[in-house]
């Protein structure tokens, strides 16, 4: 069974750095074609992809947010960590991590964590 | 950057009816790069369709995807009460290695 779970602070102050951890079970991030992504959703709004790391440590970032994001993985702990610097109230959102699979050229987010709500406020 | 435009924004229908949801991309894309998700309130999204027309594991066959180029469609043949939710399309850019979601279509009970 595939599970992903996000953890981290629920409240951060403006200008602070957010660190979120995705802990997953049921798969390994060493399998070719597998990746873990972070996706967020402001209250009442649409999904926004943030970052992804794959089995060979290649990373990809949302262009508008690239300068603020870092994604890393710890394969031994089955964890992926996202850091986002200089947090602002507009970054208030539910943050999801998701497993990305690759199948005959198709890439998609096949399993998702439950999400964690992060509020940015002083 | 490829922009995904979903229509309509809200679709009021009754159980038993057929739902047709549209996702248009700002430039032509490969069908393999288009996926659809369902999201219910307070829940994470669930993968429905990948590669434009392939159903994900466990997805009922009343859900189907079609399309090519810039026009893609998610069809729910006969709505069940549990199908009322928000639906998102998502595109993978295999050149820039980025992922983009549409703004969503809310399927609501009429």
């Amino acid at each position: 069974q595939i599970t992903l779970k996000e953890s981290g602070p629920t409240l951060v102050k403006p200008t602070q750095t957010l660190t979120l951890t995705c802990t997953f079970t049921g798969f390994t991030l060493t399998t070719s074609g597998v990746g873990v992504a972070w996706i967020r959703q402001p209250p009442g709004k649409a999904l926004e992809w943030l970052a992804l790391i794959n089995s060979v440590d290649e990373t990809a970032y949302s262009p508008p947010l690239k300068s603020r994001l870092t994604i890393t993985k710890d394969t031994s702990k089955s964890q992926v960590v996202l850091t986002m610097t200089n947090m602002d109230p507009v970054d208030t959102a539910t943050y999801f991590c998701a497993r990305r699979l690759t199948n005959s050229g198709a890439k998609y987010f096949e399993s998702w964590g439950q999400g964690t709500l992060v509020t940015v406020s002083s | 950057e490829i922009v995904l435009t979903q229509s309509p924004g809200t679709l009021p229908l009754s159980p038993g009816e057929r739902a047709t949801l549209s996702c248009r991309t700002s430039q032509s894309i490969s069908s393999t790069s288009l996926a659809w998700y369902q999201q219910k309130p307070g829940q994470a999204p669930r993968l429905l369709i990948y590669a434009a027309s392939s159903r994900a594991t466990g997805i009922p066959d009343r859900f189907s995807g079609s399309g090519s180029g810039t026009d893609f469609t998610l069809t729910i043949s006969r709505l069940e009460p549990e199908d009322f939710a928000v639906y998102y399309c998502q595109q993978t850019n295999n050149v820039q290695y980025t992922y983009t979601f549409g703004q969503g279509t809310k399927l609501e009970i009429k």
Side-chain angles (χ1 to χ4, degrees):
Chain A
Q1 182 187 8
I2 306 295
T3 68
L4 302 98
K5 187 171 185 179
E6 306 85 354
S7 59
T10 58
L11 179 66
V12 297
K13 296 184 187 315
T15 76
Q16 286 188 334
T17 294
L18 171 68
T19 300
L20 293 173
T21 301
C22 176
T23 304
F24 54 88
T25 65
F27 69 98
T28 174
L29 202 35
T30 58
T31 303
S32 177
V34 174
V36 171
W38 285 95
I39 296 153
R40 71 178 180 180
Q41 185 173 40
K45 296 189 177 180
L47 300 164
E48 178 186 22
W49 170 77
L50 300 176
L52 179 138
I53 189 165
N54 68 11
S55 58
V56 292
D57 257 346
E58 293 171 327
T59 59
Y61 296 99
S62 168
L65 295 168
K66 184 175 183 178
S67 64
R68 299 173 54 204
L69 296 172
T70 303
I71 189 169
T72 59
K73 66 182 173 86
D74 185 332
T75 303
S76 65
K77 293 182 178 179
S78 294
Q79 291 181 332
V80 170
V81 175
L82 179 77
T83 60
M84 179 180 290
T85 62
N86 195 25
M87 293 292 286
D88 183 272
V90 299
D91 297 312
T92 293
T94 296
Y95 288 74
F96 297 97
C97 61
R99 180 173 81 148
R100 189 223 58 195
L101 293 185
T102 303
N103 183 346
S104 300
K107 296 183 173 72
Y108 46 89
F109 303 113
E110 175 259 358
S111 298
W112 295 65
Q114 64 191 21
T116 185
L117 176 61
V118 178
T119 301
V120 184
S121 175
S122 55
Chain B
E1 178 191 351
I2 297 175
V3 177
L4 278 63
T5 302
Q6 293 187 240
S7 62
T10 303
L11 182 57
L13 291 170
S14 300
E17 290 192 295
R18 180 184 187 90
T20 303
L21 287 67
S22 172
C23 177
R24 288 188 172 171
T25 60
S26 58
Q27 53 187 277
S28 184
I29 65 171
S30 167
S31 295
T32 60
S33 67
L34 198 285
W36 289 93
Y37 302 83
Q38 175 195 68
Q39 187 180 32
K40 297 179 181 179
Q43 296 185 16
R46 176 174 71 146
L47 175 69
L48 298 175
I49 301 286
Y50 65 93
S53 61
S54 297
R55 264 188 305 276
T57 303
I59 302 303
D61 60 7
R62 65 179 181 273
F63 291 91
S64 63
S66 63
S68 64
T70 61
D71 289 308
F72 297 87
T73 300
L74 174 70
T75 302
I76 310 171
S77 60
R78 186 176 174 84
L79 286 166
E80 298 287 342
E82 62 267 26
D83 298 336
F84 292 91
V86 179
Y87 292 84
Y88 293 96
C89 57
Q90 174 257 314
Q91 185 264 339
T92 301
N93 186 319
N94 289 309
V95 174
Q96 297 179 337
Y97 302 107
T98 59
Y99 301 79
T100 306
F101 289 90
Q103 84 277 19
T105 289
K106 182 179 182 180
L107 182 56
E108 64 177 27
I109 299 177
K110 187 174 181 180

